[in-house]
Amino acid sequence: MAGLTKQRFGKTGREVTRVGLGGEGILRTYGQHAGANAVIMEALDQGITYFDSAKVYAGSEEYYGEVWRNRPDLREPVFQASKSACRGHADAETDLQETLQRMGIETLDLWQIHDIRSFPDIREVEGPSGALEAFIEARESGVVRHIGVTGHHDPDVLAHAVENWPVDAVMMPVNPVEGALGGFLDGVLTTARAQGVAVIGMKVLGGSNYLVPDAGVTPEVLVRYALAQEISVAIVGCSTPAEVQALAAAGRSGPLPDDEAAALVEAFRPHARELAYYRGIR
């Protein structure tokens, strides 16, 4: 089995595989321990090194914790990420301690300010006693190695965070709908690249809403579209080991050629606004 290509993760000095295991799918459940373990172990077997999670993703952090406690030898090569949606300093600190406890680890590779939606969000996070202070302090103390921000509602809001906050990474939607709409791929991505900020592509399959197998729009095509953009890693939530295998296979196939990527954008363009459900712009 050919190895997965790795990409530099912004200016952090780290490298991650071009595809990563998202925190959705079976990881965003409770009580599915055997299934979640099978998905995480398959990702490790496939050579995937980027693993996504969030406090609000149901039992995802606990599922990872079961693996790292049972197999601490597997933790070293992994880039483990999680997130906090708290906007205040003290609440974010509490979130981080709970995340580390649930995962059974002492250090988190990437801790992200989760789901920034509006400029009031921005003002709260970066204001006095805001969460941004907690994130910076956690990085300075070494409890987390890198910090980031995520968002999928308003590209102008996310661009502000990338431009003005000392983040190492940004997570944003990367799919052909965004290629048609603009804002994230031609705005936030450009800003991030200019500042050496790593870019994590999410909403790659549009929650499976973008799959049209009869028209050749398969998970592989959408993952390869994401890889054709200048991002560090594309993440997809998986529900079965077979889906993990398909994700890894897409990663090994590499980016979609430019002409095929452009044609895919045009196919989605007539319905792009209604398909961007995560932006809340319908």
Side-chain angles (χ1 to χ4, degrees), residues 244-267:
V244 177
Q245 293 165 12
L247 172 62
R252 293 187 184 95
S253 295
L256 211 59
D258 289 346
D259 58 337
E260 293 181 33
L264 195 60
V265 170
E266 292 310 310

mmCIF file of all heavy atoms in Angstrom, residues 244-267:
data_model
loop_
_atom_site.group_PDB
_atom_site.id
_atom_site.type_symbol
_atom_site.label_atom_id
_atom_site.label_comp_id
_atom_site.label_asym_id
_atom_site.label_seq_id
_atom_site.Cartn_x
_atom_site.Cartn_y
_atom_site.Cartn_z
ATOM 1 N N VAL A 244 -13.100 4.992 5.605
ATOM 2 C CA VAL A 244 -11.733 5.443 5.862
ATOM 3 C C VAL A 244 -10.807 4.989 4.729
ATOM 4 O O VAL A 244 -9.951 5.743 4.255
ATOM 5 C CB VAL A 244 -11.219 4.898 7.208
ATOM 6 C CG1 VAL A 244 -9.768 5.319 7.430
ATOM 7 C CG2 VAL A 244 -12.087 5.387 8.355
ATOM 8 N N GLN A 245 -10.988 3.755 4.298
ATOM 9 C CA GLN A 245 -10.172 3.244 3.193
ATOM 10 C C GLN A 245 -10.381 4.080 1.935
ATOM 11 O O GLN A 245 -9.423 4.381 1.205
ATOM 12 C CB GLN A 245 -10.521 1.781 2.932
ATOM 13 C CG GLN A 245 -10.117 0.841 4.056
ATOM 14 C CD GLN A 245 -10.771 -0.522 3.953
ATOM 15 O OE1 GLN A 245 -11.360 -0.873 2.928
ATOM 16 N NE2 GLN A 245 -10.692 -1.316 5.020
ATOM 17 N N ALA A 246 -11.634 4.458 1.674
ATOM 18 C CA ALA A 246 -11.928 5.275 0.499
ATOM 19 C C ALA A 246 -11.291 6.662 0.621
ATOM 20 O O ALA A 246 -10.789 7.208 -0.362
ATOM 21 C CB ALA A 246 -13.439 5.403 0.315
ATOM 22 N N LEU A 247 -11.318 7.227 1.822
ATOM 23 C CA LEU A 247 -10.687 8.531 2.048
ATOM 24 C C LEU A 247 -9.189 8.454 1.783
ATOM 25 O O LEU A 247 -8.618 9.319 1.097
ATOM 26 C CB LEU A 247 -10.956 8.979 3.490
ATOM 27 C CG LEU A 247 -10.221 10.215 3.977
ATOM 28 C CD1 LEU A 247 -10.603 11.444 3.161
ATOM 29 C CD2 LEU A 247 -10.489 10.448 5.465
ATOM 30 N N ALA A 248 -8.559 7.427 2.320
ATOM 31 C CA ALA A 248 -7.121 7.264 2.116
ATOM 32 C C ALA A 248 -6.793 7.037 0.642
ATOM 33 O O ALA A 248 -5.807 7.575 0.119
ATOM 34 C CB ALA A 248 -6.604 6.108 2.956
ATOM 35 N N ALA A 249 -7.635 6.263 -0.041
ATOM 36 C CA ALA A 249 -7.410 6.015 -1.469
ATOM 37 C C ALA A 249 -7.501 7.316 -2.267
ATOM 38 O O ALA A 249 -6.709 7.544 -3.196
ATOM 39 C CB ALA A 249 -8.424 5.008 -1.995
ATOM 40 N N ALA A 250 -8.455 8.169 -1.912
ATOM 41 C CA ALA A 250 -8.572 9.464 -2.586
ATOM 42 C C ALA A 250 -7.331 10.299 -2.336
ATOM 43 O O ALA A 250 -6.830 10.992 -3.234
ATOM 44 C CB ALA A 250 -9.821 10.199 -2.103
ATOM 45 N N GLY A 251 -6.826 10.244 -1.095
ATOM 46 C CA GLY A 251 -5.606 10.975 -0.779
ATOM 47 C C GLY A 251 -4.425 10.497 -1.598
ATOM 48 O O GLY A 251 -3.598 11.294 -2.051
ATOM 49 N N ARG A 252 -4.360 9.190 -1.835
ATOM 50 C CA ARG A 252 -3.261 8.650 -2.634
ATOM 51 C C ARG A 252 -3.409 9.000 -4.111
ATOM 52 O O ARG A 252 -2.427 9.087 -4.841
ATOM 53 C CB ARG A 252 -3.185 7.126 -2.459
ATOM 54 C CG ARG A 252 -2.788 6.716 -1.053
ATOM 55 C CD ARG A 252 -2.549 5.222 -0.928
ATOM 56 N NE ARG A 252 -2.252 4.892 0.473
ATOM 57 C CZ ARG A 252 -3.154 4.484 1.351
ATOM 58 N NH1 ARG A 252 -4.413 4.278 0.972
ATOM 59 N NH2 ARG A 252 -2.806 4.248 2.599
ATOM 60 N N SER A 253 -4.645 9.205 -4.565
ATOM 61 C CA SER A 253 -4.870 9.573 -5.969
ATOM 62 C C SER A 253 -4.413 10.990 -6.268
ATOM 63 O O SER A 253 -4.111 11.328 -7.406
ATOM 64 C CB SER A 253 -6.357 9.434 -6.314
ATOM 65 O OG SER A 253 -6.774 8.087 -6.230
ATOM 66 N N GLY A 254 -4.393 11.827 -5.231
ATOM 67 C CA GLY A 254 -3.882 13.178 -5.408
ATOM 68 C C GLY A 254 -4.919 14.153 -5.937
ATOM 69 O O GLY A 254 -6.091 13.805 -6.142
ATOM 70 N N PRO A 255 -4.497 15.396 -6.172
ATOM 71 C CA PRO A 255 -5.427 16.458 -6.568
ATOM 72 C C PRO A 255 -6.113 16.189 -7.907
ATOM 73 O O PRO A 255 -5.543 15.549 -8.800
ATOM 74 C CB PRO A 255 -4.528 17.699 -6.672
ATOM 75 C CG PRO A 255 -3.298 17.357 -5.900
ATOM 76 C CD PRO A 255 -3.117 15.888 -6.025
ATOM 77 N N LEU A 256 -7.335 16.693 -8.023
ATOM 78 C CA LEU A 256 -8.053 16.660 -9.294
ATOM 79 C C LEU A 256 -7.349 17.589 -10.278
ATOM 80 O O LEU A 256 -6.931 18.689 -9.901
ATOM 81 C CB LEU A 256 -9.495 17.138 -9.049
ATOM 82 C CG LEU A 256 -10.632 16.595 -9.913
ATOM 83 C CD1 LEU A 256 -10.739 15.089 -9.799
ATOM 84 C CD2 LEU A 256 -11.945 17.260 -9.493
ATOM 85 N N PRO A 257 -7.198 17.189 -11.543
ATOM 86 C CA PRO A 257 -6.612 18.098 -12.527
ATOM 87 C C PRO A 257 -7.405 19.406 -12.618
ATOM 88 O O PRO A 257 -8.612 19.431 -12.371
ATOM 89 C CB PRO A 257 -6.707 17.302 -13.840
ATOM 90 C CG PRO A 257 -6.749 15.874 -13.413
ATOM 91 C CD PRO A 257 -7.511 15.861 -12.115
ATOM 92 N N ASP A 258 -6.733 20.484 -12.989
ATOM 93 C CA ASP A 258 -7.356 21.814 -12.994
ATOM 94 C C ASP A 258 -8.622 21.869 -13.841
ATOM 95 O O ASP A 258 -9.616 22.485 -13.445
ATOM 96 C CB ASP A 258 -6.366 22.864 -13.499
ATOM 97 C CG ASP A 258 -5.249 23.133 -12.497
ATOM 98 O OD1 ASP A 258 -5.386 22.707 -11.331
ATOM 99 O OD2 ASP A 258 -4.245 23.764 -12.884
ATOM 100 N N ASP A 259 -8.593 21.231 -15.005
ATOM 101 C CA ASP A 259 -9.767 21.315 -15.882
ATOM 102 C C ASP A 259 -10.962 20.574 -15.282
ATOM 103 O O ASP A 259 -12.102 21.038 -15.378
ATOM 104 C CB ASP A 259 -9.441 20.779 -17.278
ATOM 105 C CG ASP A 259 -8.956 19.327 -17.272
ATOM 106 O OD1 ASP A 259 -8.461 18.857 -16.227
ATOM 107 O OD2 ASP A 259 -9.084 18.668 -18.324
ATOM 108 N N GLU A 260 -10.704 19.451 -14.629
ATOM 109 C CA GLU A 260 -11.796 18.706 -13.997
ATOM 110 C C GLU A 260 -12.340 19.451 -12.780
ATOM 111 O O GLU A 260 -13.546 19.453 -12.525
ATOM 112 C CB GLU A 260 -11.311 17.314 -13.588
ATOM 113 C CG GLU A 260 -10.972 16.414 -14.784
ATOM 114 C CD GLU A 260 -10.527 15.033 -14.353
ATOM 115 O OE1 GLU A 260 -11.041 14.537 -13.318
ATOM 116 O OE2 GLU A 260 -9.663 14.445 -15.036
ATOM 117 N N ALA A 261 -11.453 20.106 -12.035
ATOM 118 C CA ALA A 261 -11.895 20.902 -10.884
ATOM 119 C C ALA A 261 -12.760 22.069 -11.345
ATOM 120 O O ALA A 261 -13.806 22.360 -10.745
ATOM 121 C CB ALA A 261 -10.684 21.407 -10.105
ATOM 122 N N ALA A 262 -12.356 22.726 -12.419
ATOM 123 C CA ALA A 262 -13.121 23.857 -12.942
ATOM 124 C C ALA A 262 -14.491 23.398 -13.445
ATOM 125 O O ALA A 262 -15.507 24.080 -13.224
ATOM 126 C CB ALA A 262 -12.343 24.545 -14.059
ATOM 127 N N ALA A 263 -14.540 22.254 -14.099
ATOM 128 C CA ALA A 263 -15.817 21.728 -14.602
ATOM 129 C C ALA A 263 -16.746 21.373 -13.446
ATOM 130 O O ALA A 263 -17.966 21.569 -13.534
ATOM 131 C CB ALA A 263 -15.560 20.504 -15.481
ATOM 132 N N LEU A 264 -16.181 20.873 -12.366
ATOM 133 C CA LEU A 264 -16.987 20.524 -11.196
ATOM 134 C C LEU A 264 -17.624 21.772 -10.586
ATOM 135 O O LEU A 264 -18.803 21.766 -10.222
ATOM 136 C CB LEU A 264 -16.109 19.812 -10.170
ATOM 137 C CG LEU A 264 -16.811 19.057 -9.040
ATOM 138 C CD1 LEU A 264 -17.701 17.954 -9.581
ATOM 139 C CD2 LEU A 264 -15.769 18.479 -8.076
ATOM 140 N N VAL A 265 -16.857 22.845 -10.501
ATOM 141 C CA VAL A 265 -17.398 24.109 -9.989
ATOM 142 C C VAL A 265 -18.559 24.582 -10.853
ATOM 143 O O VAL A 265 -19.611 25.005 -10.338
ATOM 144 C CB VAL A 265 -16.297 25.193 -9.929
ATOM 145 C CG1 VAL A 265 -16.908 26.568 -9.629
ATOM 146 C CG2 VAL A 265 -15.257 24.835 -8.873
ATOM 147 N N GLU A 266 -18.414 24.509 -12.153
ATOM 148 C CA GLU A 266 -19.483 24.953 -13.050
ATOM 149 C C GLU A 266 -20.735 24.095 -12.901
ATOM 150 O O GLU A 266 -21.858 24.603 -13.011
ATOM 151 C CB GLU A 266 -18.990 24.936 -14.500
ATOM 152 C CG GLU A 266 -17.927 25.980 -14.789
ATOM 153 C CD GLU A 266 -18.343 27.371 -14.310
ATOM 154 O OE1 GLU A 266 -19.466 27.818 -14.622
ATOM 155 O OE2 GLU A 266 -17.548 28.012 -13.595
ATOM 156 N N ALA A 267 -20.553 22.826 -12.645
ATOM 157 C CA ALA A 267 -21.709 21.944 -12.456
ATOM 158 C C ALA A 267 -22.493 22.323 -11.204
ATOM 159 O O ALA A 267 -23.720 22.201 -11.162
ATOM 160 C CB ALA A 267 -21.245 20.488 -12.373
#
